Structures are given as C-alpha cells and as structure tokens.
C-alpha cells in the first residue's frame, strides 16, 4: 500500500486559504513623533535608535516582522522638517523617496501634542499620494487621558477630510504600554475612541500589525525567517554609539554628532570559547569647542558613552566587545557635501 497522508488529518491545514502577504510599510511624521520606538516595538528588538531629541534617525532602517500570514518590512525614516542645512535637505529627500517605494504609509502623531503646522504640512504631502493606503497612528497614548485621545483621533480624521482623502485606518498605540505587557483594545476609529481603544494602559502595537498586513501585496516572504533588519552591522553599531552620545548633551550638540565605525575585527589568538570583537570607531563633532562636551571632565562622559553603547552592541552581536572610541572634529560637516559623503550621508 502507498503511504498516503491521512485525509482527515490534512483537513485542518486546508482551512487557512488566505494568501501570504509581504511588503514595505513606512512610518512618517514630524521629528520625535515616536516612529523609531514603534518600529522597535513591532519588531520586538532594538533596530532603530531612540532619543528625546528630534531628528535622531538619519538612515532608513528596515525592521522585519515575521507572522504566519504576512511579513512586514518596516522602513523607519527621518522626521520630515523644514531643513536648515544640507544634511536636513538630504534627510527630507530620503523621506520622499521612501514614500514612493512602499506599500503602506503610517503617519505618526503624538497623542500629547496638538496638530501643528508641521503635521499639516506632512499630511498635505501625503494627500498627493493617491494610490498608497495611509494609516494614521496616534502614538504615546500612555501620556494622555481618554478625552484628550478622543479629541486627537477626531482632529486627525477631520484633517484628512479637509484635504480630500480618507485614512485606511486610525489607530491609537503606545509602544511603552506594549513593553509593559498592557492589553490592546479595539480598533481606534474616532467614534470608538472612548470605548477603551487608547488612553493609559493600551498598547495595541499588535493590532497595528494586524491592520497593516491585509494592505500588503500577496507575496512569499522577502527575507529569511529570523532576520530582523537588513541594516549592515557596522551601521547599527555606529547608531548605537551615537544614541549613547546623544544622552545628556546640550541642546545644540545632537545634530553635530556623527559616528563612523572604522573596523570590526575578531581579536586574534583568542580561545574559541572566549571570543572578543575589537571595534574602532570615531565620534565626529563640528567644532573644537564641542570636543570637551563629548569627552567630559577627565574623559568621564566618553567612558560612559562607551560603557552604555557596548552593552547594546554586545546584545546585538551576541559576542563580547572591546570598544575603542575617539573624538574628532569634522568642521561644519552638516553643510559640507564632501564631509557628508565621508560620513555616509
């Protein structure tokens, strides 16, 4: 007899007839709208650096979310803003190029801030992209009460109406609440917002993934199972160092910091069970007067930057690391095309 599979046992497998979907989704919004935090929460691991400073993201980071029914590739862009430097202009170009290439656009708006000119400017640009589905994502819902959240949901809905289009979905989320294990509520349409859809304790990051997935094209997975980003390791390591360097510096300094990893090499003559990765990186600032701020009294600040970033780098790479950091001046690099190319922009 031929060993055919049991027909009855095969029936449950045939019930799932929905096609697999895979595609790219992009989060946009003004600087510091919670886009990087949301990307990390959806992926379940740090793939984009976060900071309370605006314009932290400079590269498009692809975070990959693997599901049984879909694969979401999340493109995290810099915040769209009125540029004051050549770097600012290039970051805006990155955003617009990304919009043209994705399957879904998510517009991020913080729940604790009123719709401002910057938001309206972005939504007006989105209104001109007719074919791509657009989702409004009201972030940081853990910072407001239900009434304020409801008003924000209604405001973002009215803005789209005013500009002649309709959001595919409007969703309140809190990546912070999600990390704390908060339960998600129902979908965040404006007329449902006071039924537990947001406010303190609602995460809803999982719900957001549920809503994005059906909007993606039918496709097999585009990345292997287990891949969480396609960002090169050296770029991610540089970003983790820059994130640590951004903490606690003066207001004018964050935009002046760039990091380049010069080399990453396994230490020779180490036993197989005790590997060590040597990483040599340069932290660039624009003026000699900024050097002391980064290094700190007796080198304490730079040492703290090394300690904090090394912990994240070791978690990312899964190996012990020796981190060698140097601070260098690249005069007015944000305005110099040659320096921008050298620093990877």
């Amino acid at each position: 007899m031929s060993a055919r599979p049991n027909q009855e046992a095969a029936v449950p497998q045939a019930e799932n007839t929905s096609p697999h979907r895979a595609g790219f989704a992009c989060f946009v919004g003004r600087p510091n709208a919670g886009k990087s935090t949301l990307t990390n929460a959806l992926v379940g691991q740090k793939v984009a650096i976060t900071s309370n400073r605006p314009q932290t993201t400079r590269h498009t980071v692809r975070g990959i979310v693997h599901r049984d029914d879909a694969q979401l590739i999340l493109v995290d862009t810099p915040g769209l803003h009125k540029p004051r430097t050549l770097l600012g202009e290039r970051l805006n170009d990155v955003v617009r190029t990304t919009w043209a290439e994705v399957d879904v656009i998510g517009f991020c708006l913080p729940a604790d801030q009123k719709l401002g000119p910057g938001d309206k400017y972005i939504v007006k640009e989105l209104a001109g992209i007719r074919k791509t589905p657009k989702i409004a994502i009201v972030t940081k819902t853990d910072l407001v009460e239900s009434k304020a959240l409801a008003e924000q949901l209604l405001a973002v809905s009215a803005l789209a109406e005013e500009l002649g289009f309709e959001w595919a979905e409007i969703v309140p989320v809190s990546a912070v609440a999600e990390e704390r294990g908060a339960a998600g509520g129902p979908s965040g349409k404006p007329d449902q917002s006071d039924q537990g859809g947001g406010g303190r304790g609602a995460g809803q990051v999982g719900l957001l993934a549920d809503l994005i997935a059906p909007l993606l094209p039918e496709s097999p997975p585009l990345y292997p199972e287990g891949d969480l980003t396609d960002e090169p390791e050296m770029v991610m390591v540089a970003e983790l160092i820059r994130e640590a360097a951004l903490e606690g510096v003066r207001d004018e300094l964050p935009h002046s910091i760039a990091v380049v990893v010069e080399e990453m090499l396994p230490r020779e003559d180490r036993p197989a069970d005790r590997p060590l990765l040597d990483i040599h990186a340069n932290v660039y600032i624009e003026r000699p007067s900024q050097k002391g701020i980064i290094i700190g009294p007796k080198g304490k600040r730079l040492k703290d930057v090394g300690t904090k970033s090394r912990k994240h780098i070791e978690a990312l790479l899964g190996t012990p690391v020796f981190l060698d950091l140097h601070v260098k001046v690249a005069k007015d690099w944000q305005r110099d095309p040659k320096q921008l190319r050298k620093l990877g922009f």
Side-chain angles (χ1 to χ4, degrees), residues 1-303:
M1 284 178 65
S2 63
R4 292 184 177 237
N6 184 297
Q7 294 299 314
E8 289 184 14
V11 171
Q13 295 177 5
E15 286 177 6
N16 184 12
T17 56
S18 299
H20 188 277
R21 296 178 179 273
F24 295 82
C26 165
F27 294 144
V28 300
R30 57 187 158 89
N32 205 25
K35 302 181 295 297
S36 296
T37 304
L38 188 55
T39 296
N40 291 335
L42 279 160
V43 174
Q45 184 172 313
K46 192 182 197 71
V47 292
I49 75 166
T50 59
S51 167
N52 59 1
R53 303 291 186 185
Q55 297 171 42
T56 303
T57 304
R58 289 177 180 163
H59 301 272
T60 55
V61 176
R62 288 183 172 88
I64 304 164
V65 182
H66 300 273
R67 296 162 51 103
D68 291 338
D69 62 334
Q71 188 180 75
L72 285 63
I73 299 112
L74 304 170
V75 184
D76 181 44
T77 63
L80 198 68
H81 62 290
K82 189 174 181 180
R84 294 194 300 266
T85 64
L86 181 58
L87 172 63
E89 289 174 16
R90 291 198 179 172
L91 295 182
N92 276 357
D93 288 342
V94 166
V95 176
R96 292 191 180 94
T97 302
T98 304
W99 290 1
E101 296 172 346
V102 297
D103 303 297
V104 181
I105 297 173
F107 167 63
C108 294
L109 169 72
D112 63 331
Q113 298 171 32
K114 295 286 186 189
L115 269 165
D119 300 305
K120 291 173 184 175
Y121 168 68
I122 294 168
V123 175
K124 192 173 180 181
E125 293 224 355
L126 290 179
I129 305 169
R130 294 291 174 188
K131 292 182 181 177
T132 309
K134 294 168 279 290
I135 295 177
I137 305 164
V138 179
T139 61
K140 307 184 184 182
T141 58
D142 55 299
L143 300 180
V144 299
E145 300 296 342
S146 295
K147 185 172 182 248
L149 176 59
E151 289 170 359
Q152 191 75 312
L153 294 170
L154 288 166
V156 74
S157 178
L159 180 57
E161 254 179 68
E162 186 185 311
L163 294 169
F165 76 96
E166 189 178 346
W167 300 108
E169 301 283 351
I170 301 176
V171 197
V173 299
S174 168
V176 175
E178 194 81 10
E179 283 174 5
R180 290 196 297 252
S187 177
K189 291 294 186 183
D191 59 350
Q192 299 172 327
S193 60
D194 59 351
Q195 299 175 15
R200 299 180 187 280
Q204 302 217 113
V205 171
L207 171 65
L208 177 60
D210 291 342
L211 296 173
I212 293 173
L215 299 173
L216 301 175
E218 293 182 16
S219 167
L222 302 173
Y223 288 89
E225 182 72 32
D227 282 12
L228 298 180
T229 182
D230 69 353
E231 190 76 22
E233 282 183 350
M234 286 179 80
V235 173
M236 290 192 71
V237 167
E239 289 289 270
L240 290 171
I241 295 168
R242 189 164 67 92
E243 179 181 43
L246 283 168
E247 289 184 25
V249 294
R250 294 178 187 172
D251 288 347
E252 76 274 9
L253 198 51
H255 313 308
S256 300
I257 297 172
V259 177
V260 175
V261 174
E262 298 296 337
E263 61 179 9
M264 289 169 46
L265 296 169
R267 180 78 61 89
E268 292 181 4
D269 303 323
R270 296 281 294 192
D273 60 341
R274 291 183 59 216
L276 185 68
L277 187 67
D278 285 319
I279 298 178
H280 302 278
N282 293 325
V283 179
Y284 288 94
I285 35 79
E286 292 192 292
R287 296 188 297 279
S289 60
Q290 296 170 336
K291 208 167 181 178
I293 300 171
I294 289 290
I295 294 172
K298 297 183 179 178
K300 186 177 182 308
R301 257 212 102 249
L302 189 62
K303 188 177 178 184

